[in-house]
Amino acid sequence: GDSVTQTEGLVTLTEGLPVMLNCTYQSTYSPFLFWYVQHLNEAPKLLLKSFTDNKRPEHQGFHATLHKSSSSFHLQKSSAQLSDSALYYCALSANYNVLYFGSGTKLTVEP
Amino acid sequence: ETAVFQTPNYHVTQVGNEVSFNCKQTLGHDTMYWYKQDSKKLLKIMFSYNNKQLIVNETVPRRFSPQSSDKAHLNLRIKSVEPEDSAVYLCASSSGGARDTQYFGPGTRLLVL
């Protein structure tokens, strides 16, 4: 079946340092990969999603590259900001067009 | 700007009661979903509907039943709630393709005493 693994449950960083949140997946199909962000007491919102070609999606300074060979879609940002503190979910969509989410990574950015 | 609306925001009830949650989207989407976010923040698909037709039912207990009157509305009824049903129930909608963005509502938080 389809599944997504996020190995870090909690990540704490100092403002200005780079961010990397890991995401690997398993799927019988060729899935689309997504990153959703959920700020405290808010709904999850799309941060970025994979393209069908080799373009690298970017949004709000975040980017992710889909590597089919390693089944990964890690989220990166060169410099963390305080406002980046949130819960980040990696998700995939394949055969039935529903989202299968990883367990989430809580990112805390400190001054 | 909110385009997926859920009511109520919060509901407290006792074991064995019946509850019902409402969801409406104004995005013109054909597909709607219910997800459950538990106390550990695990987010799991429960159901998806496309134009009032049930498409996906992810091994959800039979006490849960989705109801759709039209493609803009998807409600969720729980017949006899149990303590493990305490969670946030998130409604979402999309155009229905695998690559299409899903837009989430603010959620209904259910507490079962």
Side-chain angles (χ1 to χ4, degrees), chain A residues 37-40 81-88 107-110:
Chain A
V37 59
Q38 186 177 29
H39 288 93
L40 192 62
Q81 298 177 291
L82 296 176
S83 58
D84 293 332
S85 295
L87 184 55
Y88 290 80
L107 175 65
T108 302
V109 181
E110 297 176 335

Side-chain angles (χ1 to χ4, degrees), chain B residues 60-71:
Chain B
V60 176
R62 294 183 68 180
R63 61 181 180 278
F64 289 85
S65 58
Q67 299 162 323
S68 179
S69 56
D70 57 60
K71 69 176 189 177

Side-chain angles (χ1 to χ4, degrees), chain A residues 92-104:
Chain A
L92 74 77
S93 176
N95 194 36
Y96 289 105
N97 305 341
V98 297
L99 289 172
Y100 293 98
F101 287 90
S103 53

Side-chain angles (χ1 to χ4, degrees), chain A residues 36 38 49 89 93 97 100, chain B residues 37 41 58 96 98-99 102:
Chain A
Y36 277 79
Q38 186 177 29
K49 59 183 170 181
Y89 289 102
S93 176
N97 305 341
Y100 293 98
Chain B
Q37 187 175 38
K41 301 296 186 182
E58 280 281 320
R99 193 177 173 268
Q102 292 191 20

Side-chain angles (χ1 to χ4, degrees), chain B residues 69-83:
Chain B
S69 56
D70 57 60
K71 69 176 189 177
H73 295 83
L74 182 63
N75 300 331
L76 182 66
R77 186 180 74 166
I78 314 175
K79 246 183 181 179
S80 177
V81 295
E82 298 186 7

